[in-house]
Amino acid sequence: MLQRIRRSSRRLLSPDVWKVRILFWSGAVLVGLLATLFAWGTEWANHLFSREVVARSAWLPLLITPLGLLLIVWLTRRFVPEARGSGIPQAIAALSLTDHNNRSRLLSFRIALGKIGLCWLGMLSGASIGREGPTVHIGAAIMFSLGRFARFPHQYMDRGLILAGGAAGIAAAFNTPLAGILFAIEEMGRSFEERTSGTLLTAVFLAGITAVALQGNYTYFGTSAALLAPGEMLIPILVCGVVGGILGGGFSQLLLWSTRRLAGLGRRHPYALALTCGLLIAGIGILAGGTTYGTGYAQAQAIITESGESGTGFALLKMLATWVSYLSGIPGGIFAPSLAAGAGVGAGLADWLPAFPAAAIIILGMTAYFTGVVQTPITAFVIIMEMTDNTDLLLPLMATAFIAYAVSRVLCPQPLYRALAEQFLATARPAKDKSL
């Protein structure tokens, strides 16, 4: 017993141990701060595009959006090529790599800052992108880059830093600390080491506290009191789970297939592809009355609170705009657009199921579609439960998510983010490692 106390005392007073703690704590606070600034900036960019572009003329995006995407693709290719896309695949790929220098190609301060600025430009251009996936990339890059200040073997530190940074990014982006932890376990780190757990929990807590201190203690989509009686759960769960799983899995499979098919075109003619995608995004936006531009946060909130009218048509057009935005090669995530499209799916299903509470069907539909896209069912139902501040639907959300997951896996056997991560793994390893 005495020996154990002495060992604990030495660990408590060890300068090296305190160096690691301070590293994680300061990194988490920095992630929370940047996530908040990123959130404020994206809200400003979304409002500015709606107010200064769409409100002036519904046809003006036909000029602004293609030129904006052209500029973003040039800046990305010229300065931060690894910042393209969501950012979650880069974090997953970095976890799969074993060499510190290879990981540095995907995670750095330069990439993190570039990701923020380029995503802002994307939203100023009207692209259907989100900030949550990029915030995971930013969080992982910040924590990983800070690791150079601790004199410990990289193999010991890197994985914990990346996991903690990614989880902290989700927690700060959505104000959903539990979902941040679960996402790190379920998607980014399929194996959850005991020594990682304490640092990850601390990082999530500090990043979340920092974001709440700056933004206030808010729920992402407000508060929902929707519920289903036990006797009326079965049909909504089955319908939402199956339909959401089909649509979400179909979207993921389409995205993977098209990114592979267009990879050569993107390398040979990146600017022609960006201009074409920009014109398509603008055309979709005009067809949708301006509702498909940006993150879709306002539209999703209006659907969930039943203060707006958007259903199946909006959902399909939002999916299409998100798909085209990703194909363009610009930095930007699919989390928020998928939640918005999912809310539209739920609204459409609510019209098909008039005998059941519409608010509950909308939330179940959003959960099902989001699960179908990302194939992380636990994260999906927890993140939506936290974002709507609704625990009454916990069991229906859970059941719907797992049905959607099973259906989605039939259409898209390989999870979206892990499949996209393989593309970054192929370029991050040096040539001598690619044969291993």
Side-chain angles (χ1 to χ4, degrees), residues 192-263:
F192 190 54
E193 302 172 9
E194 183 180 352
R195 69 184 182 188
T196 303
S197 60
T199 54
L200 189 149
L201 291 170
T202 304
V204 168
F205 172 77
L206 289 174
I209 287 294
T210 302
V212 168
L214 293 170
Q215 301 181 62
N217 189 18
Y218 69 99
T219 50
Y220 194 83
F221 286 132
T223 300
S224 172
L227 56 84
L228 285 170
E232 59 183 9
M233 289 182 181
L234 182 59
I235 292 176
I237 287 172
L238 289 174
V239 172
C240 292
V242 171
V243 174
I246 290 172
L247 291 174
F251 175 86
S252 292
Q253 187 60 34
L254 174 64
L255 186 62
L256 290 175
W257 175 83
S258 54
T259 52
R260 290 163 182 160
R261 295 282 294 180
L262 295 177

Side-chain angles (χ1 to χ4, degrees), residues 51-324:
R51 186 175 61 250
E52 299 297 330
V53 178
V54 179
R56 287 178 181 270
S57 171
W59 302 97
L60 195 54
L62 287 171
L63 175 64
I64 300 296
T65 304
L67 292 179
L69 265 61
L70 182 65
L71 174 62
I72 296 164
V73 168
W74 180 81
L75 290 172
T76 302
R77 291 172 60 86
R78 177 69 176 82
F79 298 105
V80 279
E82 302 304 336
R84 69 186 187 277
S86 163
I88 294 175
Q90 289 93 316
I92 293 173
L95 285 170
S96 300
L97 294 167
T98 56
D99 182 74
H100 180 81
N101 292 328
N102 290 340
R103 283 172 166 164
S104 298
R105 300 183 185 189
L106 298 174
L107 304 173
S108 67
F109 282 123
R110 179 175 57 85
I111 291 173
L113 295 177
K115 192 92 174 184
I116 293 173
L118 292 169
C119 284
W120 281 343
L121 281 176
M123 292 176 194
L124 282 171
S125 303
S128 179
I129 56 176
R131 61 176 170 83
E132 292 75 23
T135 305
V136 171
H137 194 188
I138 292 162
I142 293 297
M143 294 289 277
F144 174 80
S145 300
L146 287 173
R148 72 184 64 173
F149 298 111
R151 296 180 180 178
F152 284 88
H154 290 309
Q155 191 62 29
Y156 171 77
M157 291 290 294
D158 283 358
R159 184 175 175 83
L161 286 165
I162 295 168
L163 281 171
I170 282 288
F174 284 117
N175 189 26
T176 52
L178 181 57
I181 297 166
L182 290 172
F183 183 76
I185 299 170
E186 191 176 20
E187 179 59 86
M188 293 180 62
R190 300 287 177 172
S191 62
F192 190 54
E193 302 172 9
E194 183 180 352
R195 69 184 182 188
T196 303
S197 60
T199 54
L200 189 149
L201 291 170
T202 304
V204 168
F205 172 77
L206 289 174
I209 287 294
T210 302
V212 168
L214 293 170
Q215 301 181 62
N217 189 18
Y218 69 99
T219 50
Y220 194 83
F221 286 132
T223 300
S224 172
L227 56 84
L228 285 170
E232 59 183 9
M233 289 182 181
L234 182 59
I235 292 176
I237 287 172
L238 289 174
V239 172
C240 292
V242 171
V243 174
I246 290 172
L247 291 174
F251 175 86
S252 292
Q253 187 60 34
L254 174 64
L255 186 62
L256 290 175
W257 175 83
S258 54
T259 52
R260 290 163 182 160
R261 295 282 294 180
L262 295 177
L265 178 63
R267 287 191 296 269
R268 294 190 302 271
H269 307 290
Y271 305 117
L273 180 62
L275 282 171
T276 302
C277 289
L279 287 170
L280 288 173
I281 293 167
I284 295 165
I286 292 169
L287 188 62
T291 59
T292 57
Y293 298 121
T295 61
Y297 166 78
Q299 288 76 24
Q301 187 178 46
I303 294 170
I304 291 170
T305 58
E306 299 183 83
S307 59
E309 294 184 6
S310 293
T312 308
F314 163 75
L316 295 176
L317 290 173
K318 187 63 177 175
M319 293 175 204
L320 187 59
T322 305
W323 172 62
V324 174

Side-chain angles (χ1 to χ4, degrees), residues 354-436:
F356 301 93
I361 303 298
I362 290 168
I363 294 175
L364 292 183
M366 181 167 61
T367 303
Y369 177 76
F370 183 67
T371 301
V373 173
V374 300
Q375 293 190 3
T376 52
I378 299 174
T379 300
F381 75 75
V382 169
I383 204 171
I384 290 173
M385 182 185 68
E386 287 191 282
M387 286 192 302
T388 58
D389 193 24
N390 188 325
T391 58
D392 294 328
L393 284 175
L394 175 59
L395 291 178
L397 286 173
M398 189 184 304
T400 301
F402 280 103
I403 291 172
Y405 171 70
V407 173
S408 176
R409 287 300 298 268
V410 174
L411 296 173
C412 187
Q414 190 174 20
L416 176 64
Y417 289 131
R418 298 210 158 254
L420 293 172
E422 292 179 357
Q423 301 173 14
F424 291 96
L425 283 170
T427 58
R429 291 192 181 103
K432 65 179 180 180
D433 289 343
K434 293 181 181 178
S435 62
L436 295 180

